[in-house]
Amino acid sequence: MKDIYRRQIRLSEPQIAFCSSYPDEVLYGGAAGGGKSAAQVIDALLYAIEYEGSKQIIFRKTFPELERSIIRESFKFYPGKPWAKYNTTKHVWTFYNGSIIEFGYLSRENDVFLYQGAEYDVVRFDEATHFSYDCVNYLRSRIRGVLQIPRSLKLSTNPGNIGHMWCKNRYVDPVPPLHLFKGRDGTSRLFIPATVDDNFALVENDPKYIERLESMGDEDLVDMLRWGKWDKMLGQFF
């Protein structure tokens, strides 16, 4: 089944790198329109198929954000019965091999304690800069399990917002992109940049999207959202 999905889903080079990488921590993205949410959803699917009985969770800040991005994307790519079924009440996909992909949201900092005692093989944050370091770091402690499979924290985001600086300092600044390195705490980390130019589906179907990004007028916004530059400070105050 995994081979079938690899043939049917077109992935960009950055998305392939993201789906093929399982160091301790990965940050994917940069510019707007780089296919971040799709990368998370597809990577989670391939992992669920590959590793029987695995447990994953994908976070967004609020449920409306989750519903109009990650959940919507999952219905584009995930198979229906008998291969998988979605529980609309619990927001969980359950697969034929016992793997699960859960969707969660953390509107407040203290919401992390709702997951105290939980265990996941992969914890994912879409738009990671919407979260504080303390929030992400706490959920990183939920990555554990008895199965002998790769485990990881997988983040995707644009520059900006409250988590801009900790993401920049932890993943972007230490080494050039696509270079695996170890932090002072011994965790292996990787930054995979992507821009709208990598998202062939968006460029093909909405060729004026790049034009709209470049015509925003604010140079800092264009640098951040069109080119994925992390050296702008504007986004910290959104």
Side-chain angles (χ1 to χ4, degrees), residues 1 19 26 28 87 89 103 128 134 150-151 161 192 219 233:
M1 183 177 176
C19 294
V26 184
Y28 175 94
N87 187 311
T89 302
F103 301 137
D134 289 341
R151 294 185 173 83
N161 223 297
I192 303 172
E219 183 179 348
M233 307 299 287

Side-chain angles (χ1 to χ4, degrees), residues 7-231:
R7 288 196 298 268
Q8 291 181 342
I9 298 173
R10 293 177 64 195
L11 298 174
S12 68
E13 288 300 320
Q15 287 174 329
I16 291 172
F18 184 69
C19 294
S20 304
S21 302
Y22 275 86
D24 296 323
E25 303 176 16
V26 184
L27 175 66
Y28 175 94
K36 300 180 302 300
S37 297
Q40 288 280 22
V41 166
I42 294 168
D43 185 32
L45 170 64
L46 295 176
Y47 185 95
I49 295 170
E50 177 76 17
Y51 300 109
E52 180 179 349
S54 60
K55 299 177 182 178
Q56 302 177 79
I57 188 165
I58 308 177
F59 286 107
R60 282 295 301 258
K61 189 69 174 178
T62 67
F63 182 73
E65 291 173 321
L66 191 67
E67 191 172 35
R68 63 176 173 256
S69 58
I70 295 296
I71 294 176
R72 189 174 296 173
E73 286 290 310
S74 74
F75 277 95
K76 291 181 185 178
F77 298 108
Y78 290 9
K81 296 178 180 179
W83 302 107
K85 59 181 179 180
Y86 182 67
N87 187 311
T88 58
T89 302
K90 296 183 178 180
H91 315 304
V92 175
W93 280 94
T94 302
F95 290 80
Y96 68 100
N97 62 359
S99 294
I100 67 166
I101 300 173
E102 183 179 344
F103 301 137
Y105 58 97
L106 303 164
S107 301
R108 300 169 298 177
E109 288 287 305
N110 285 345
D111 286 347
V112 297
F113 298 115
L114 297 174
Y115 297 89
Q116 191 170 10
E119 293 185 357
Y120 299 101
D121 299 298
V122 182
V123 171
R124 303 172 182 272
F125 283 84
D126 192 35
E127 296 299 352
T129 56
H130 291 194
F131 301 89
S132 70
Y133 171 75
D134 289 341
C135 179
V136 174
N137 191 47
Y138 181 85
L139 269 302
R140 189 164 64 96
S141 72
R142 304 300 90 201
I143 301 174
R144 59 185 183 178
V146 297
L147 300 177
Q148 293 185 350
I149 58 178
R151 294 185 173 83
S152 188
L153 172 69
K154 306 204 81 169
L155 313 173
S156 50
T157 196
N158 299 130
N161 223 297
I162 62 170
H164 178 95
M165 286 307 300
W166 77 258
C167 283
K168 181 176 183 290
N169 293 338
R170 190 171 181 86
Y171 304 105
V172 180
D173 287 347
V175 299
L178 301 175
H179 283 70
L180 186 66
F181 70 100
K182 282 196 174 183
R184 292 182 180 180
D185 59 358
T187 58
S188 56
R189 302 174 195 164
L190 179 66
F191 170 53
I192 303 172
T195 70
V196 65
D197 303 285
D198 298 303
N199 190 345
F200 44 78
L202 181 57
V203 172
E204 290 172 5
N205 295 317
D206 188 2
K208 289 193 174 183
Y209 178 68
I210 292 177
E211 181 181 322
R212 291 196 295 273
L213 282 178
E214 294 176 346
S215 65
M216 287 187 294
D218 188 302
E219 183 179 348
D220 287 346
L221 275 176
V222 173
D223 281 347
M224 289 168 55
L225 298 181
R226 171 65 178 96
W227 301 111
K229 293 186 178 180
W230 288 83
D231 57 353

